[in-house]
Amino acid sequence: MSDRKIQSALISVFYKDGLEPIVRKLHELGVTLISTGGTETFIRSLNIPVTSVEALTGFPEILGGRVKTLQPKIFGGILGIRSLAEHQSQMREHDIPGIDLVIVDLYPFEETLASTDSEEEIIEKIDIGGVSLIRAAAKNFNDVLVCASRQDYASLLSLLSDKQGVTGYADRKLFAARAFNQTSHYDTAIFNYFNRDRQVSAFKQSIMQSRSLRYGENPHQQGIFYGDFNSLFSQLHGKEISYNNLVDIDAAVRLIDEFENPACAVIKHTNACGCAEADNVAGAWQRALAGDPVSAFGGIVVFNRKVDASAAARINEIFFEVIIAPGYDEEALAILRQKKNRIILTRNAKPETRNVFKSVLNGVIEQDADTKLGDAEKWKVVTNVAPTAAQAADLLFAEKCVKHLKSNAIVLVKNRQLIGMGCGQTSRIDALKQAVNKAKSFGFDLSGSVLASDAFFPFHDSVQLANEAGVKAILQPGGSVRDQDSIDACNQFAIAMVFTGIRHFLH
Protein backbone atom coordinates (compact mmCIF):
# COMPACT_ATOMS: atom_id res chain seq x y z
CA MET A 1 0.00 0.00 0.00
CA SER A 2 2.99 2.28 -0.51
CA ASP A 3 3.43 5.21 -2.84
CA ARG A 4 4.43 4.54 -6.43
CA LYS A 5 6.47 6.75 -8.74
CA ILE A 6 5.17 6.82 -12.32
CA GLN A 7 8.06 5.98 -14.63
CA SER A 8 6.21 4.79 -17.73
CA ALA A 9 2.74 5.39 -19.15
CA LEU A 10 0.67 3.72 -21.84
CA ILE A 11 -1.64 6.18 -23.58
CA SER A 12 -4.20 5.11 -26.20
CA VAL A 13 -7.41 7.13 -26.42
CA PHE A 14 -10.23 7.77 -28.87
CA TYR A 15 -10.86 11.31 -27.61
CA LYS A 16 -7.77 13.56 -27.65
CA ASP A 17 -9.39 16.73 -26.26
CA GLY A 18 -7.91 17.61 -22.89
CA LEU A 19 -5.03 15.17 -23.32
CA GLU A 20 -2.27 17.62 -24.24
CA PRO A 21 -1.60 19.10 -20.74
CA ILE A 22 -1.37 15.60 -19.29
CA VAL A 23 1.11 14.48 -21.94
CA ARG A 24 3.21 17.59 -21.37
CA LYS A 25 3.18 17.10 -17.60
CA LEU A 26 4.27 13.46 -17.95
CA HIS A 27 7.08 14.51 -20.27
CA GLU A 28 8.12 17.19 -17.78
CA LEU A 29 8.24 14.51 -15.06
CA GLY A 30 10.50 12.33 -17.20
CA VAL A 31 7.91 9.60 -17.75
CA THR A 32 8.49 7.22 -20.70
CA LEU A 33 5.46 7.35 -22.99
CA ILE A 34 4.13 4.34 -24.93
CA SER A 35 1.37 4.71 -27.49
CA THR A 36 -0.12 3.52 -30.75
CA GLY A 37 -2.18 4.68 -33.71
CA GLY A 38 -3.75 8.13 -33.64
CA THR A 39 -2.66 8.82 -30.07
CA GLU A 40 0.96 8.16 -30.96
CA THR A 41 0.63 10.55 -33.91
CA PHE A 42 -0.92 13.16 -31.62
CA ILE A 43 1.92 12.91 -29.08
CA ARG A 44 4.55 13.18 -31.81
CA SER A 45 2.79 16.31 -33.10
CA LEU A 46 3.59 17.90 -29.72
CA ASN A 47 7.29 17.20 -30.33
CA ILE A 48 7.34 14.84 -27.36
CA PRO A 49 9.17 11.50 -27.66
CA VAL A 50 7.01 8.38 -27.59
CA THR A 51 7.66 4.65 -28.02
CA SER A 52 5.27 2.85 -30.32
CA VAL A 53 3.55 -0.32 -29.12
CA GLU A 54 4.81 -2.04 -32.25
CA ALA A 55 8.44 -1.17 -31.39
CA LEU A 56 7.96 -2.40 -27.83
CA THR A 57 6.28 -5.69 -28.74
CA GLY A 58 8.01 -6.41 -32.06
CA PHE A 59 4.59 -7.18 -33.52
CA PRO A 60 2.59 -4.99 -35.94
CA GLU A 61 -0.98 -3.82 -35.63
CA ILE A 62 -3.17 -6.33 -37.49
CA LEU A 63 -6.74 -7.07 -38.58
CA GLY A 64 -7.52 -3.48 -39.45
CA GLY A 65 -6.67 -2.26 -35.97
CA ARG A 66 -8.66 -4.91 -34.12
CA VAL A 67 -5.42 -6.19 -32.56
CA LYS A 68 -2.98 -3.54 -31.36
CA THR A 69 -2.24 -3.78 -27.65
CA LEU A 70 -3.31 -7.36 -26.95
CA GLN A 71 0.26 -8.50 -26.32
CA PRO A 72 2.03 -10.20 -23.36
CA LYS A 73 4.62 -7.41 -23.19
CA ILE A 74 1.84 -4.87 -22.67
CA PHE A 75 -0.34 -6.83 -20.29
CA GLY A 76 2.64 -8.27 -18.46
CA GLY A 77 3.91 -4.75 -17.85
CA ILE A 78 0.53 -3.76 -16.41
CA LEU A 79 -0.34 -6.89 -14.42
CA GLY A 80 3.09 -7.67 -13.01
CA ILE A 81 3.05 -7.35 -9.22
CA ARG A 82 6.01 -5.19 -8.24
CA SER A 83 6.44 -6.78 -4.79
CA LEU A 84 6.34 -10.36 -6.09
CA ALA A 85 9.85 -11.65 -6.89
CA GLU A 86 8.55 -14.34 -9.24
CA HIS A 87 6.69 -11.75 -11.33
CA GLN A 88 9.71 -9.45 -11.46
CA SER A 89 11.99 -12.32 -12.48
CA GLN A 90 9.69 -13.32 -15.34
CA MET A 91 9.39 -9.71 -16.50
CA ARG A 92 13.17 -9.42 -16.66
CA GLU A 93 13.46 -12.79 -18.42
CA HIS A 94 11.03 -11.77 -21.15
CA ASP A 95 12.19 -8.14 -21.33
CA ILE A 96 8.81 -6.79 -20.20
CA PRO A 97 8.96 -3.18 -18.97
CA GLY A 98 6.67 -2.16 -16.12
CA ILE A 99 3.82 0.19 -17.00
CA ASP A 100 2.80 2.43 -14.08
CA LEU A 101 0.06 4.53 -15.66
CA VAL A 102 -2.60 3.51 -18.20
CA ILE A 103 -4.62 6.23 -19.91
CA VAL A 104 -7.14 4.50 -22.13
CA ASP A 105 -10.73 5.30 -23.06
CA LEU A 106 -13.26 3.27 -25.01
CA TYR A 107 -14.70 3.39 -28.50
CA PRO A 108 -17.92 5.46 -28.54
CA PHE A 109 -20.37 2.56 -28.61
CA GLU A 110 -23.39 4.45 -27.20
CA GLU A 111 -22.77 7.46 -29.43
CA THR A 112 -22.61 5.18 -32.47
CA LEU A 113 -25.77 3.39 -31.39
CA ALA A 114 -27.57 6.73 -31.17
CA SER A 115 -26.40 7.87 -34.60
CA THR A 116 -26.88 4.82 -36.84
CA ASP A 117 -28.84 1.61 -37.32
CA SER A 118 -25.96 -0.04 -39.16
CA GLU A 119 -25.10 -3.22 -37.26
CA GLU A 120 -21.67 -3.34 -38.91
CA GLU A 121 -20.78 0.16 -37.65
CA ILE A 122 -22.18 -0.56 -34.19
CA ILE A 123 -20.28 -3.84 -33.81
CA GLU A 124 -17.00 -2.21 -34.87
CA LYS A 125 -17.38 0.23 -31.97
CA ILE A 126 -17.30 -2.59 -29.40
CA ASP A 127 -13.92 -2.03 -27.78
CA ILE A 128 -11.86 -5.12 -26.91
CA GLY A 129 -8.33 -3.98 -26.21
CA GLY A 130 -9.38 -0.85 -24.35
CA VAL A 131 -11.62 -2.70 -21.92
CA SER A 132 -8.93 -5.32 -21.34
CA LEU A 133 -6.26 -2.70 -20.64
CA ILE A 134 -8.50 -0.77 -18.27
CA ARG A 135 -9.53 -3.86 -16.33
CA ALA A 136 -5.95 -5.09 -16.10
CA ALA A 137 -4.69 -1.76 -14.76
CA ALA A 138 -7.61 -1.43 -12.34
CA LYS A 139 -7.08 -4.97 -11.06
CA ASN A 140 -3.44 -4.19 -10.32
CA PHE A 141 -4.22 -0.85 -8.64
CA ASN A 142 -1.70 -1.68 -5.91
CA ASP A 143 0.97 -0.79 -8.44
CA VAL A 144 -0.72 0.89 -11.41
CA LEU A 145 -2.79 4.05 -11.85
CA VAL A 146 -5.54 3.92 -14.48
CA CYS A 147 -7.49 6.75 -16.09
CA ALA A 148 -10.37 5.45 -18.19
CA SER A 149 -12.29 8.57 -19.17
CA ARG A 150 -11.64 12.11 -20.32
CA GLN A 151 -14.00 13.16 -17.50
CA ASP A 152 -11.14 12.20 -15.15
CA TYR A 153 -8.41 14.13 -17.00
CA ALA A 154 -8.67 17.14 -14.68
CA SER A 155 -8.34 14.94 -11.58
CA LEU A 156 -5.40 13.13 -13.11
CA LEU A 157 -3.61 16.34 -14.04
CA SER A 158 -4.10 17.72 -10.52
CA LEU A 159 -2.72 14.51 -9.03
CA LEU A 160 0.34 14.56 -11.30
CA SER A 161 1.00 18.21 -10.53
CA ASP A 162 0.37 18.08 -6.80
CA LYS A 163 2.42 14.93 -6.15
CA GLN A 164 4.96 15.27 -8.95
CA GLY A 165 4.22 11.89 -10.48
CA VAL A 166 3.89 9.95 -7.23
CA THR A 167 0.61 8.17 -6.47
CA GLY A 168 -0.74 6.85 -3.20
CA TYR A 169 -2.74 3.70 -2.57
CA ALA A 170 -5.97 5.67 -2.04
CA ASP A 171 -5.42 7.57 -5.30
CA ARG A 172 -4.96 4.40 -7.31
CA LYS A 173 -7.93 2.66 -5.70
CA LEU A 174 -10.24 5.62 -6.41
CA PHE A 175 -9.21 5.72 -10.08
CA ALA A 176 -9.65 1.93 -10.26
CA ALA A 177 -13.22 2.25 -8.99
CA ARG A 178 -13.91 4.90 -11.61
CA ALA A 179 -12.40 2.63 -14.25
CA PHE A 180 -14.60 -0.34 -13.35
CA ASN A 181 -17.55 2.05 -13.40
CA GLN A 182 -16.68 2.86 -17.01
CA THR A 183 -16.22 -0.74 -18.15
CA SER A 184 -19.33 -2.04 -16.38
CA HIS A 185 -21.43 0.73 -17.92
CA TYR A 186 -19.95 -0.01 -21.33
CA ASP A 187 -20.69 -3.73 -21.07
CA THR A 188 -24.23 -3.02 -19.90
CA ALA A 189 -24.89 -0.86 -22.98
CA ILE A 190 -23.55 -3.61 -25.24
CA PHE A 191 -25.61 -6.30 -23.51
CA ASN A 192 -28.81 -4.25 -23.76
CA TYR A 193 -28.16 -3.73 -27.48
CA PHE A 194 -27.82 -7.46 -28.07
CA ASN A 195 -30.76 -8.23 -25.78
CA ARG A 196 -33.31 -5.85 -27.27
CA ASP A 197 -35.73 -8.72 -27.81
CA ARG A 198 -35.21 -9.82 -24.17
CA GLN A 199 -34.33 -13.39 -25.05
CA VAL A 200 -31.82 -13.36 -22.19
CA SER A 201 -33.62 -12.82 -18.90
CA ALA A 202 -31.54 -10.37 -16.87
CA PHE A 203 -32.02 -6.90 -15.42
CA LYS A 204 -29.14 -4.60 -16.30
CA GLN A 205 -29.26 -0.83 -16.24
CA SER A 206 -26.45 1.67 -15.89
CA ILE A 207 -26.66 5.46 -15.53
CA MET A 208 -23.42 7.39 -15.18
CA GLN A 209 -24.78 10.83 -14.29
CA SER A 210 -26.05 11.55 -10.79
CA ARG A 211 -26.92 14.41 -8.48
CA SER A 212 -27.27 14.33 -4.70
CA LEU A 213 -30.60 15.61 -3.40
CA ARG A 214 -31.28 17.48 -0.17
CA TYR A 215 -33.06 14.36 1.05
CA GLY A 216 -35.38 11.65 -0.20
CA GLU A 217 -39.14 11.49 0.07
CA ASN A 218 -38.82 12.59 3.70
CA PRO A 219 -36.06 14.53 5.50
CA HIS A 220 -34.77 11.44 7.30
CA GLN A 221 -34.18 9.63 3.97
CA GLN A 222 -31.12 10.11 1.78
CA GLY A 223 -31.85 10.85 -1.86
CA ILE A 224 -29.89 10.66 -5.13
CA PHE A 225 -31.09 11.15 -8.70
CA TYR A 226 -29.38 9.03 -11.35
CA GLY A 227 -29.90 10.56 -14.76
CA ASP A 228 -29.13 13.52 -17.00
CA PHE A 229 -31.75 16.03 -15.88
CA ASN A 230 -30.12 18.84 -17.84
CA SER A 231 -30.64 17.03 -21.13
CA LEU A 232 -34.40 17.29 -20.58
CA PHE A 233 -34.72 20.62 -18.77
CA SER A 234 -33.01 23.95 -18.22
CA GLN A 235 -33.61 25.50 -14.82
CA LEU A 236 -34.05 29.26 -15.23
CA HIS A 237 -34.82 30.15 -11.63
CA GLY A 238 -35.51 28.82 -8.17
CA LYS A 239 -34.24 26.57 -5.44
CA GLU A 240 -32.60 23.18 -5.70
CA ILE A 241 -34.89 20.50 -7.11
CA SER A 242 -35.95 17.90 -4.54
CA TYR A 243 -36.77 14.19 -4.69
CA ASN A 244 -40.51 14.90 -4.55
CA ASN A 245 -40.18 17.63 -7.19
CA LEU A 246 -38.56 15.11 -9.54
CA VAL A 247 -41.32 12.57 -9.03
CA ASP A 248 -43.99 15.19 -9.70
CA ILE A 249 -42.11 16.66 -12.68
CA ASP A 250 -42.03 13.19 -14.23
CA ALA A 251 -45.79 12.79 -13.73
CA ALA A 252 -46.43 16.28 -15.10
CA VAL A 253 -44.58 15.91 -18.39
CA ARG A 254 -45.95 12.44 -19.06
CA LEU A 255 -49.49 13.78 -18.71
CA ILE A 256 -49.04 16.99 -20.70
CA ASP A 257 -47.38 15.11 -23.56
CA GLU A 258 -50.69 13.36 -24.21
CA PHE A 259 -52.21 16.62 -25.54
CA GLU A 260 -51.83 18.36 -28.88
CA ASN A 261 -54.03 21.43 -28.32
CA PRO A 262 -52.91 24.18 -25.89
CA ALA A 263 -53.18 22.52 -22.48
CA CYS A 264 -52.28 22.97 -18.84
CA ALA A 265 -52.18 20.51 -15.96
CA VAL A 266 -51.71 21.03 -12.23
CA ILE A 267 -50.01 18.15 -10.43
CA LYS A 268 -50.07 17.35 -6.72
CA HIS A 269 -48.37 14.21 -5.38
CA THR A 270 -48.16 12.84 -8.96
CA ASN A 271 -51.92 13.17 -9.56
CA ALA A 272 -53.60 15.79 -11.71
CA CYS A 273 -55.91 17.96 -9.63
CA GLY A 274 -56.57 20.12 -12.67
CA CYS A 275 -56.23 19.68 -16.43
CA ALA A 276 -57.77 21.49 -19.38
CA GLU A 277 -57.40 22.46 -22.99
CA ALA A 278 -58.21 25.92 -24.34
CA ASP A 279 -57.51 28.22 -27.26
CA ASN A 280 -54.55 29.81 -25.47
CA VAL A 281 -52.24 29.32 -22.51
CA ALA A 282 -54.00 31.77 -20.20
CA GLY A 283 -57.33 30.10 -20.85
CA ALA A 284 -55.88 26.63 -20.27
CA TRP A 285 -54.43 27.79 -16.94
CA GLN A 286 -57.71 29.31 -15.74
CA ARG A 287 -59.68 26.18 -16.64
CA ALA A 288 -57.12 23.80 -15.12
CA LEU A 289 -56.95 25.80 -11.89
CA ALA A 290 -60.72 25.84 -11.62
CA GLY A 291 -60.76 22.04 -11.44
CA ASP A 292 -59.43 22.17 -7.87
CA PRO A 293 -58.05 25.56 -6.77
CA VAL A 294 -57.50 24.26 -3.24
CA SER A 295 -55.24 21.33 -4.13
CA ALA A 296 -53.37 23.45 -6.69
CA PHE A 297 -51.65 25.35 -3.88
CA GLY A 298 -48.01 24.25 -3.68
CA GLY A 299 -48.28 22.02 -6.73
CA ILE A 300 -46.59 21.79 -10.11
CA VAL A 301 -47.91 23.58 -13.20
CA VAL A 302 -47.09 22.28 -16.68
CA PHE A 303 -47.88 23.63 -20.15
CA ASN A 304 -47.36 22.39 -23.70
CA ARG A 305 -47.10 25.90 -25.14
CA LYS A 306 -44.92 28.95 -24.51
CA VAL A 307 -46.07 31.01 -21.51
CA ASP A 308 -46.83 34.67 -22.21
CA ALA A 309 -47.09 37.63 -19.85
CA SER A 310 -50.88 37.45 -19.66
CA ALA A 311 -50.78 33.85 -18.43
CA ALA A 312 -47.82 34.51 -16.14
CA ALA A 313 -49.65 37.33 -14.38
CA ARG A 314 -52.55 35.02 -13.56
CA ILE A 315 -50.29 32.13 -12.58
CA ASN A 316 -48.35 34.40 -10.25
CA GLU A 317 -51.45 34.96 -8.12
CA ILE A 318 -51.06 31.62 -6.32
CA PHE A 319 -48.18 29.74 -4.72
CA PHE A 320 -46.78 26.75 -6.57
CA GLU A 321 -43.35 25.10 -6.48
CA VAL A 322 -42.56 24.37 -10.12
CA ILE A 323 -43.63 25.61 -13.52
CA ILE A 324 -42.70 23.71 -16.70
CA ALA A 325 -43.16 24.92 -20.27
CA PRO A 326 -41.47 24.80 -23.68
CA GLY A 327 -40.55 28.46 -23.23
CA TYR A 328 -41.44 31.85 -21.73
CA ASP A 329 -41.70 35.43 -22.96
CA GLU A 330 -39.17 37.75 -21.31
CA GLU A 331 -41.97 39.64 -19.58
CA ALA A 332 -43.48 36.36 -18.39
CA LEU A 333 -40.13 35.30 -16.93
CA ALA A 334 -39.77 38.60 -15.09
CA ILE A 335 -43.19 38.08 -13.50
CA LEU A 336 -42.58 34.45 -12.54
CA ARG A 337 -39.15 35.22 -11.08
CA GLN A 338 -40.74 37.47 -8.47
CA LYS A 339 -40.91 34.44 -6.15
CA LYS A 340 -37.34 33.63 -5.09
CA ASN A 341 -37.73 29.86 -4.62
CA ARG A 342 -40.07 29.16 -7.51
CA ILE A 343 -38.52 26.58 -9.84
CA ILE A 344 -38.88 27.60 -13.49
CA LEU A 345 -38.05 24.94 -16.06
CA THR A 346 -37.93 24.94 -19.84
CA ARG A 347 -38.04 21.64 -21.67
CA ASN A 348 -35.13 20.65 -23.89
CA ALA A 349 -36.40 17.20 -24.90
CA LYS A 350 -38.98 14.57 -24.08
CA PRO A 351 -38.01 11.56 -21.96
CA GLU A 352 -37.74 8.36 -23.99
CA THR A 353 -39.13 5.77 -21.64
CA ARG A 354 -39.71 2.36 -23.19
CA ASN A 355 -39.54 0.45 -19.92
CA VAL A 356 -40.55 1.18 -16.36
CA PHE A 357 -39.05 -0.55 -13.36
CA LYS A 358 -39.16 -0.31 -9.59
CA SER A 359 -37.62 -2.11 -6.64
CA VAL A 360 -39.87 -4.57 -4.81
CA LEU A 361 -39.04 -7.10 -2.12
CA ASN A 362 -35.51 -8.32 -2.87
CA GLY A 363 -35.59 -7.56 -6.58
CA VAL A 364 -36.89 -5.40 -9.40
CA ILE A 365 -40.01 -5.57 -11.54
CA GLU A 366 -39.94 -4.24 -15.09
CA GLN A 367 -42.62 -3.59 -17.66
CA ASP A 368 -43.24 -1.75 -20.91
CA ALA A 369 -44.32 1.84 -20.42
CA ASP A 370 -48.08 2.42 -20.80
CA THR A 371 -48.07 4.35 -24.06
CA LYS A 372 -51.43 3.18 -25.39
CA LEU A 373 -54.69 5.07 -25.63
CA GLY A 374 -58.00 3.99 -27.05
CA ASP A 375 -58.88 4.82 -30.64
CA ALA A 376 -62.37 6.24 -31.10
CA GLU A 377 -62.69 4.40 -34.42
CA LYS A 378 -62.01 1.12 -32.61
CA TRP A 379 -64.22 1.72 -29.61
CA LYS A 380 -66.87 -0.89 -28.99
CA VAL A 381 -70.15 0.89 -28.37
CA VAL A 382 -72.01 -1.50 -26.07
CA THR A 383 -75.17 0.54 -25.36
CA ASN A 384 -78.28 1.47 -27.30
CA VAL A 385 -77.05 5.05 -27.66
CA ALA A 386 -73.62 6.06 -28.95
CA PRO A 387 -71.61 9.07 -27.80
CA THR A 388 -72.13 12.30 -29.71
CA ALA A 389 -69.11 13.90 -31.40
CA ALA A 390 -68.71 16.32 -28.48
CA GLN A 391 -68.99 13.51 -25.95
CA ALA A 392 -66.45 11.43 -27.87
CA ALA A 393 -63.96 14.33 -27.76
CA ASP A 394 -64.48 14.61 -24.02
CA LEU A 395 -64.09 10.85 -23.55
CA LEU A 396 -60.76 10.93 -25.38
CA PHE A 397 -59.65 13.78 -23.11
CA ALA A 398 -60.90 11.90 -20.05
CA GLU A 399 -58.96 8.75 -20.91
CA LYS A 400 -55.74 10.77 -21.12
CA CYS A 401 -56.41 12.14 -17.63
CA VAL A 402 -57.47 8.91 -15.94
CA LYS A 403 -54.50 7.04 -17.39
CA HIS A 404 -52.17 9.13 -15.21
CA LEU A 405 -54.07 8.91 -11.90
CA LYS A 406 -53.38 6.38 -9.16
CA SER A 407 -55.83 3.47 -9.21
CA ASN A 408 -58.65 3.06 -8.57
CA ALA A 409 -59.38 6.19 -10.58
CA ILE A 410 -62.42 7.95 -12.04
CA VAL A 411 -62.47 11.27 -13.88
CA LEU A 412 -65.35 13.52 -14.84
CA VAL A 413 -64.82 15.78 -17.85
CA LYS A 414 -66.88 18.43 -19.57
CA ASN A 415 -65.79 20.50 -22.57
CA ARG A 416 -62.19 19.20 -22.35
CA GLN A 417 -61.85 20.23 -18.73
CA LEU A 418 -61.21 17.93 -15.77
CA ILE A 419 -63.99 18.89 -13.38
CA GLY A 420 -63.83 16.02 -10.90
CA MET A 421 -61.48 13.19 -10.10
CA GLY A 422 -61.21 10.38 -7.58
CA CYS A 423 -58.01 8.41 -7.30
CA GLY A 424 -56.10 6.02 -5.07
CA GLN A 425 -59.31 4.50 -3.74
CA THR A 426 -59.79 0.89 -2.70
CA SER A 427 -63.16 0.65 -4.45
CA ARG A 428 -64.33 2.11 -7.72
CA ILE A 429 -67.54 3.52 -6.33
CA ASP A 430 -65.55 5.39 -3.68
CA ALA A 431 -63.43 6.89 -6.47
CA LEU A 432 -66.63 7.92 -8.24
CA LYS A 433 -68.10 9.44 -5.08
CA GLN A 434 -64.89 11.39 -4.54
CA ALA A 435 -64.96 12.69 -8.12
CA VAL A 436 -68.62 13.75 -7.90
CA ASN A 437 -68.22 15.41 -4.53
CA LYS A 438 -65.11 17.28 -5.63
CA ALA A 439 -66.80 18.57 -8.78
CA LYS A 440 -69.84 19.75 -6.85
CA SER A 441 -67.73 21.38 -4.14
CA PHE A 442 -66.20 23.67 -6.77
CA GLY A 443 -69.54 24.56 -8.32
CA PHE A 444 -69.44 22.51 -11.52
CA ASP A 445 -72.64 21.53 -13.30
CA LEU A 446 -72.20 17.84 -14.07
CA SER A 447 -75.16 17.58 -16.44
CA GLY A 448 -73.87 16.41 -19.80
CA SER A 449 -70.47 15.43 -18.44
CA VAL A 450 -68.59 12.25 -19.32
CA LEU A 451 -66.83 9.70 -17.14
CA ALA A 452 -63.69 7.62 -17.68
CA SER A 453 -62.60 4.70 -15.51
CA ASP A 454 -59.04 3.38 -15.47
CA ALA A 455 -60.31 -0.21 -15.16
CA PHE A 456 -63.52 -2.27 -15.05
CA PHE A 457 -66.73 -0.36 -14.33
CA PRO A 458 -69.02 -3.32 -13.90
CA PHE A 459 -71.79 -2.63 -11.36
CA HIS A 460 -75.25 -1.11 -11.56
CA ASP A 461 -74.74 1.09 -8.49
CA SER A 462 -71.82 2.97 -10.04
CA VAL A 463 -73.80 3.69 -13.20
CA GLN A 464 -76.76 4.80 -11.12
CA LEU A 465 -74.60 7.24 -9.15
CA ALA A 466 -73.11 8.58 -12.40
CA ASN A 467 -76.59 9.08 -13.81
CA GLU A 468 -77.75 10.93 -10.72
CA ALA A 469 -74.76 13.25 -11.09
CA GLY A 470 -75.64 14.02 -14.73
CA VAL A 471 -73.11 11.87 -16.62
CA LYS A 472 -74.17 11.08 -20.20
CA ALA A 473 -71.29 8.97 -21.53
CA ILE A 474 -68.86 6.48 -19.97
CA LEU A 475 -65.52 5.10 -21.17
CA GLN A 476 -63.98 1.98 -19.65
CA PRO A 477 -61.79 -0.92 -20.82
CA GLY A 478 -64.50 -3.57 -20.47
CA GLY A 479 -63.77 -7.24 -19.94
CA SER A 480 -65.41 -7.89 -16.57
CA VAL A 481 -67.70 -10.88 -16.03
CA ARG A 482 -70.20 -8.30 -14.73
CA ASP A 483 -70.06 -6.01 -17.76
CA GLN A 484 -73.67 -6.71 -18.63
CA ASP A 485 -74.83 -5.22 -15.31
CA SER A 486 -73.37 -1.81 -16.18
CA ILE A 487 -74.48 -2.07 -19.82
CA ASP A 488 -78.08 -2.72 -18.73
CA ALA A 489 -77.90 0.19 -16.28
CA CYS A 490 -76.60 2.52 -18.99
CA ASN A 491 -79.43 1.50 -21.30
CA GLN A 492 -81.90 2.07 -18.48
CA PHE A 493 -80.63 5.64 -18.03
CA ALA A 494 -79.91 6.38 -21.72
CA ILE A 495 -76.18 6.71 -21.08
CA ALA A 496 -73.68 5.91 -23.83
CA MET A 497 -70.91 3.48 -22.91
CA VAL A 498 -67.83 2.48 -24.89
CA PHE A 499 -65.23 -0.22 -24.27
CA THR A 500 -61.64 0.57 -25.25
CA GLY A 501 -60.08 -2.81 -24.43
CA ILE A 502 -57.21 -0.98 -22.70
CA ARG A 503 -56.83 -0.90 -18.92
CA HIS A 504 -54.77 1.82 -17.24
CA PHE A 505 -53.93 0.60 -13.75
CA LEU A 506 -51.33 2.80 -12.07
CA HIS A 507 -49.86 1.91 -8.69
Side-chain angles (χ1 to χ4, degrees):
M1 296 186 182
S2 60
D3 290 348
R4 295 282 188 265
K5 174 71 175 177
I6 298 174
Q7 297 179 326
S8 64
L10 172 66
I11 309 175
S12 180
V13 296
F14 187 88
Y15 297 105
K16 313 298 189 296
D17 46 311
L19 183 63
E20 180 178 345
I22 293 173
V23 171
R24 293 195 181 279
K25 173 55 69 173
L26 290 170
H27 177 58
E28 177 188 317
L29 294 170
V31 175
T32 299
L33 303 183
I34 305 164
S35 190
T36 186
T39 308
E40 179 191 349
T41 302
F42 172 79
I43 295 173
R44 292 191 190 281
S45 74
L46 303 176
N47 294 318
I48 291 174
V50 57
T51 300
S52 69
V53 167
E54 291 87 343
L56 179 66
T57 63
F59 201 91
E61 178 182 310
I62 62 171
L63 304 182
R66 282 191 166 197
V67 178
K68 292 184 284 189
T69 55
L70 295 167
Q71 295 288 340
K73 277 199 171 183
I74 298 296
F75 280 88
I78 296 170
L79 287 166
I81 299 174
R82 307 316 192 245
S83 60
L84 200 59
E86 181 183 0
H87 281 202
Q88 294 304 301
S89 173
Q90 290 178 10
M91 291 173 71
R92 287 191 297 271
E93 177 186 352
H94 297 288
D95 193 25
I96 298 174
I99 297 175
D100 308 307
L101 169 63
V102 173
I103 304 175
V104 173
D105 63 8
L106 301 171
Y107 291 162
F109 177 81
E110 289 180 285
E111 293 87 338
T112 304
L113 190 60
S115 64
T116 182
D117 293 326
S118 167
E119 184 172 276
E120 182 179 356
E121 290 184 45
I122 292 168
I123 297 303
E124 281 306 308
K125 286 300 184 289
I126 297 177
D127 205 316
I128 304 300
V131 172
S132 302
L133 291 166
I134 291 168
R135 288 177 62 86
K139 175 178 179 177
N140 200 24
F141 71 91
N142 271 312
D143 296 309
V144 179
L145 179 70
V146 59
C147 181
S149 169
R150 56 183 167 170
Q151 275 74 40
D152 291 327
Y153 282 179
S155 298
L156 175 61
L157 184 59
S158 294
L159 178 62
L160 294 172
S161 300
D162 294 345
K163 294 189 175 183
Q164 291 300 295
V166 175
T167 66
Y169 174 85
D171 301 322
R172 297 190 299 273
K173 191 169 185 179
L174 173 60
F175 273 82
R178 292 174 177 173
F180 282 124
N181 187 31
Q182 291 289 334
T183 58
S184 64
H185 176 79
Y186 196 76
D187 284 341
T188 296
I190 295 169
F191 168 76
N192 285 331
Y193 168 72
F194 277 91
N195 198 42
R196 287 168 296 174
D197 56 4
R198 302 189 195 177
Q199 288 187 333
V200 179
S201 181
F203 178 79
K204 295 184 187 295
Q205 294 291 330
S206 178
I207 301 174
M208 298 290 280
Q209 302 95 331
S210 67
R211 63 159 70 181
S212 295
L213 306 173
R214 296 196 306 272
Y215 50 80
E217 204 160 10
N218 300 292
H220 62 275
Q221 296 170 270
Q222 183 181 359
I224 302 174
F225 171 67
Y226 295 99
D228 187 4
F229 184 84
N230 294 333
S231 69
L232 300 180
F233 302 94
S234 295
Q235 183 170 352
L236 307 181
H237 184 74
K239 63 184 180 180
E240 181 184 346
I241 294 172
S242 71
Y243 180 103
N244 291 329
N245 289 153
L246 288 168
V247 174
D248 284 340
I249 289 168
D250 177 71
V253 297
R254 296 196 187 283
L255 172 59
I256 203 68
D257 286 345
E258 301 281 9
F259 301 99
E260 296 181 2
N261 297 321
C264 171
V266 183
I267 305 296
K268 197 71 171 288
H269 298 299
T270 73
N271 292 304
C273 56
C275 187
E277 290 182 335
D279 294 333
N280 53 59
V281 170
W285 160 250
Q286 289 295 108
R287 301 186 80 219
L289 176 64
D292 187 346
V294 174
S295 297
F297 185 86
I300 287 183
V301 183
V302 61
F303 295 91
N304 63 356
R305 294 290 193 279
K306 188 175 185 179
V307 175
D308 57 25
S310 172
R314 298 181 187 183
I315 296 165
N316 202 43
E317 294 173 357
I318 74 161
F319 166 73
F320 58 90
E321 287 210 354
V322 182
I323 181 170
I324 309 165
Y328 307 85
D329 291 347
E330 283 301 318
E331 189 178 350
L333 266 182
I335 294 169
L336 295 171
R337 281 175 169 151
Q338 291 174 6
K339 299 292 191 295
K340 184 175 93 171
N341 290 328
R342 177 180 289 157
I343 297 169
I344 304 175
L345 301 175
T346 56
R347 299 187 66 181
N348 301 326
K350 293 183 179 181
E352 296 181 5
T353 302
R354 302 183 190 90
N355 305 97
V356 178
F357 49 87
K358 64 171 70 175
S359 59
V360 295
L361 301 174
N362 61 347
V364 173
I365 52 176
E366 182 179 12
Q367 64 176 350
D368 297 333
D370 182 5
T371 59
K372 287 189 175 182
L373 284 169
D375 182 344
E377 294 183 0
K378 297 179 181 178
W379 283 348
K380 183 179 180 181
V381 179
V382 294
T383 48
N384 295 334
V385 295
T388 65
Q391 288 170 347
D394 276 352
L395 288 172
L396 288 168
F397 182 95
E399 185 186 8
K400 294 174 181 178
C401 292
V402 81
K403 171 184 171 182
H404 294 274
L405 292 174
K406 292 292 188 292
S407 301
N408 289 309
I410 294 288
V411 299
L412 301 172
V413 166
K414 189 173 181 179
N415 299 324
R416 295 175 297 133
Q417 179 185 22
L418 178 62
I419 60 176
M421 70 88 171
C423 63
Q425 300 301 304
T426 53
S427 73
R428 195 149 303 280
I429 194 164
D430 282 345
L432 175 55
K433 289 176 180 177
Q434 184 186 43
V436 170
N437 291 337
K438 189 174 282 286
K440 288 182 177 179
S441 70
F442 295 117
F444 286 106
D445 177 9
L446 289 171
S447 59
S449 63
V450 306
L451 176 157
S453 174
D454 66 328
F456 301 150
F457 196 75
F459 299 114
H460 184 285
D461 57 353
S462 294
V463 176
Q464 183 174 347
L465 179 58
N467 175 67
E468 292 169 357
V471 170
K472 289 301 179 184
I474 295 173
L475 176 146
Q476 62 141 316
S480 168
V481 295
R482 301 290 298 272
D483 277 345
Q484 196 59 46
D485 288 357
S486 58
I487 293 171
D488 291 343
C490 283
N491 286 330
Q492 177 185 345
F493 301 123
I495 294 174
M497 178 181 281
V498 299
F499 287 178
T500 65
I502 301 172
R503 191 181 72 183
H504 293 297
F505 268 163
L506 182 62
H507 295 96

